[in-house]
Amino acid sequence: MTSKTLFDSTLILRVTLFIILITHSIPGMFNGGVQSFGQDYLNAIGFAPLGVPLAWAIKLSHVVCAVALLLRRYVRVAAIITIAILVMGIIFVHYPEGWFVVGGGRNGMEYNVLLISVLVYLMLIERK
């Protein structure tokens, strides 16, 4: 790609990632989900006393990275940060549940693998 325009062949992927990351983050900021994730899950698996701040950092990074990806700015940085979070989600949450999110299982890793693949694709096609 020779110029960074918002409307290019990656627009559908970037808009989709934006929607997914925003809807995965913002509701939890207002319904207690981030607090619960940090307190009840992250602290319980060994991140205490940093569970709640870590949960907020994860959710806020999703919002910032979603905007960056949508605007096609800092795509590599946003992709690397988001991939790191998704990989850790696979390791701690999804891998133990198996591959399938629904159907053949529950809460599996297939969704995260697809998101990682899209982020790697976007990262690789960026020239800067």
Side-chain angles (χ1 to χ4, degrees), residues 78-120:
I80 289 168
I81 291 168
T82 306
I83 288 168
I85 291 168
L86 293 170
V87 167
M88 295 310 290
I90 288 172
I91 292 168
F92 286 108
V93 178
H94 304 293
Y95 180 78
E97 298 292 334
W99 178 256
F100 297 103
V101 173
V102 295
R106 183 194 140 310
N107 206 24
M109 62 183 152
E110 65 180 326
Y111 189 63
N112 280 28
V113 171
L114 177 60
L115 293 175
I116 290 168
S117 298
V118 171
L119 289 162
V120 167

Side-chain angles (χ1 to χ4, degrees), residues 12-125:
I12 292 171
L13 292 176
R14 291 183 293 107
V15 168
T16 303
L17 281 171
F18 175 83
I19 292 167
I20 289 169
L21 291 172
I22 291 296
T23 59
H24 192 69
S25 301
I26 291 181
M29 293 177 182
F30 297 100
N31 68 10
V34 175
Q35 181 75 21
S36 176
F37 175 61
Q39 184 90 28
D40 301 337
Y41 181 72
L42 292 177
N43 281 347
I45 65 168
F47 288 97
L50 300 174
V52 173
L54 183 57
W56 276 101
I58 290 166
K59 295 305 180 180
L60 290 172
S61 78
H62 281 344
V63 173
V64 171
C65 290
V67 173
L69 290 166
L70 182 66
L71 298 178
R72 204 169 165 214
R73 300 290 181 250
Y74 306 105
V75 170
R76 286 187 175 158
V77 173
I80 289 168
I81 291 168
T82 306
I83 288 168
I85 291 168
L86 293 170
V87 167
M88 295 310 290
I90 288 172
I91 292 168
F92 286 108
V93 178
H94 304 293
Y95 180 78
E97 298 292 334
W99 178 256
F100 297 103
V101 173
V102 295
R106 183 194 140 310
N107 206 24
M109 62 183 152
E110 65 180 326
Y111 189 63
N112 280 28
V113 171
L114 177 60
L115 293 175
I116 290 168
S117 298
V118 171
L119 289 162
V120 167
Y121 172 77
L122 292 175
M123 193 169 52
L124 290 174
I125 66 168

